[in-house]
Amino acid sequence: GLFYTSGTTGRPKGSANTHRNIITNLMNFGVLNKAQGIAAGDESTGEKASYLCIIPLFHATANFTYMVPFMFAGHRLVFLPPGKFEAESAGRLIEAERVTAIGGVPTIMARLIDSGVHEQFDLSSVTAIGYGGAPASAALLAKINGAFPNLKKKVSTAYGLTETSAIATATGGLDYQEHPSSVGQASPVNEVKIAEFDGEPLPPGQTGEIWLKGPNVIPGYWRRPEANARSFVDGWFRTGDVGYVDDEGFVYITDRAKDMVIRGGENIYCVEIESILEGHPAVAEIAVIGVPHPELGEELKAIVVVSTGAAPTVADLAEYARERLADFKVPAHWELRTDPLPRNPAGKVLKAPLRGEQAAVFAVGEESDSAL
């Protein structure tokens, strides 16, 4: 199949996902489901799982990680009405269809909880939640645990890309609760290494680019030889993501390589700051970007979508950040807004328009085809 990358850092590229790639991901999902129960069916009674599919099926996560495995196992998929995501519609469907599993991207979970649908509708049928596609904060995991009464901590997250046919690393259950900032360990068929620019591996704890290898990695982009030469090296795929691996093999993503802000020679990973500030109860969504500075090169700017009914001040948020971050990581500029952040149709934040640059290909506004 020919899928397209998300376009968060440039023009989307055609991803030539083979049958073997997709079947490998199906096997990865099966291992994760067996270990963490993310499908949330009941083997003892033969009850099938019912998954609420929120993100569009052209996205690798929705297609490879949910549609293919759930249909293969005879489970049921429930779809939202066409159009933008509305938390109330999702809550109503979960109650009416007795949905057992939900997920997609972390933003979906954040918006569900912020909207208060868990107080309006009966969500007791939900016994598993899984998401990926973007880093999730420990604060979000805590909110999820508190909002769903029968979840039993069956929350899972996974990391992968269109180029890896979805799952490359995953974690769930107790492992996720104990390592809430991690995207898990390598799947059974994947190799992960943290590397210097030239591919030289780095030891545990050191930050570098995440490289992936395995039978779920595509052979290359469709008719993009220059991009293939940059991204595929000796069987390894260079993700463009920055992170590290701890001594137990848990992978942590700190940023996209192109999103890293260099302030006065210091490398600052925006994801770290976003994860911290998501813990503030008045923050519904946040994006941290770099803005030009005449002496430092770049300075940090935080764009905050305020939670419904909240009225934080810049001083409140800055003080919250100052108590939890080094001084040079506290944003110097703040923008508070009520409109959602611009996202592509798969729900990933498009930072280009936030910087005043042209978005990759996706419109932002009422006519956007974004699901979020």
Side-chain angles (χ1 to χ4, degrees):
L2 193 62
F3 283 71
Y4 279 83
T5 59
S6 60
T8 54
T9 59
R11 184 176 177 81
K13 297 179 285 290
S15 175
N17 297 83
T18 67
H19 286 175
R20 186 189 184 199
N21 294 155
I22 297 169
I23 294 301
T24 299
N25 187 74
L26 173 63
M27 295 167 63
N28 280 341
F29 181 91
V31 170
L32 177 62
N33 181 43
K34 195 70 175 176
Q36 312 297 348
I38 64 173
D42 189 337
E43 292 184 3
S44 63
T45 63
E47 176 191 353
K48 295 296 185 179
S50 180
Y51 177 74
L52 179 61
C53 192
I54 297 173
I55 53 180
L57 289 177
F58 62 74
H59 187 261
T61 298
N63 199 304
F64 301 154
T65 304
Y66 291 111
M67 187 187 76
V68 171
F70 272 66
M71 292 184 70
F72 177 81
H75 295 311
R76 189 167 68 113
L77 293 173
V78 178
F79 294 91
L80 284 172
K84 288 184 178 293
F85 172 72
E86 293 183 358
E88 186 175 334
S89 295
R92 185 176 293 108
L93 262 181
I94 293 170
E95 179 180 276
E97 300 292 338
R98 304 305 294 161
V99 167
T100 62
I102 58 175
V105 293
T107 302
I108 289 170
M109 299 310 306
R111 290 189 181 176
L112 276 172
I113 295 170
D114 183 53
S115 69
V117 296
H118 56 290
E119 299 170 347
Q120 303 172 44
F121 300 98
D122 178 8
L123 307 186
S124 61
S125 62
V126 177
T127 55
I129 290 175
Y131 46 72
S137 66
L140 176 60
L141 179 59
K143 290 179 182 178
I144 291 171
N145 286 332
F148 292 87
N150 292 330
L151 195 57
K152 299 175 183 176
K153 295 188 176 180
K154 283 188 177 180
V155 187
S156 62
T157 190
Y159 164 64
L161 305 93
T162 307
E163 294 92 335
T164 64
S165 310
I167 299 172
T169 72
T171 184
L174 185 59
D175 279 344
Y176 191 20
Q177 303 293 327
E178 294 179 348
H179 303 81
S181 299
S182 173
V183 291
Q185 298 168 307
S187 76
V189 298
N190 273 110
E191 295 179 61
V192 178
K193 75 172 176 177
I194 307 299
E196 299 273 19
F197 181 80
D198 61 2
E200 189 67 23
L202 293 168
Q206 289 199 21
T207 299
E209 185 180 10
I210 299 172
W211 292 38
L212 300 171
K213 188 177 186 180
N216 55 330
V217 175
I218 64 169
Y221 297 118
W222 181 251
R223 297 180 178 176
R224 297 289 293 273
E226 293 182 2
N228 288 339
R230 289 193 303 269
S231 299
F232 299 90
V233 181
D234 297 329
W236 289 94
F237 170 60
R238 303 182 57 175
T239 67
D241 290 324
V242 176
Y244 65 93
V245 177
D246 68 14
D247 291 330
E248 298 178 75
F250 284 89
V251 179
Y252 295 79
I253 300 174
T254 53
D255 219 329
R256 287 289 299 176
K258 293 184 180 180
D259 277 348
M260 184 176 67
V261 173
I262 304 177
R263 179 188 183 274
E266 291 280 358
N267 293 347
I268 303 175
Y269 302 114
C270 297
V271 168
E272 176 191 3
I273 302 167
E274 291 165 351
S275 295
I276 291 294
L277 288 170
E278 279 181 359
H280 193 290
V283 175
E285 298 179 49
I286 182 168
V288 174
I289 61 174
V291 295
H293 188 279
E295 296 177 2
L296 298 172
E298 288 184 294
E299 188 57 278
L300 293 170
K301 178 179 180 180
I303 301 166
V304 176
V305 179
V306 177
S307 298
T308 304
T313 65
V314 167
D316 293 335
L317 296 171
E319 181 61 25
Y320 184 88
R322 198 170 290 112
E323 292 173 353
R324 294 162 174 80
L325 294 164
D327 286 345
F328 70 91
K329 295 181 180 180
V330 176
H333 306 281
W334 298 79
E335 177 186 328
L336 308 187
R337 58 195 284 178
T338 55
D339 292 335
L341 297 175
R343 295 177 181 271
N344 68 12
K348 295 184 181 181
V349 173
L350 292 171
K351 290 193 173 181
L354 296 177
R355 299 188 189 101
E357 304 166 4
Q358 185 176 0
V361 293
F362 303 110
V364 177
E366 291 301 317
E367 300 304 317
S368 170
D369 60 351
S370 171
L372 299 174

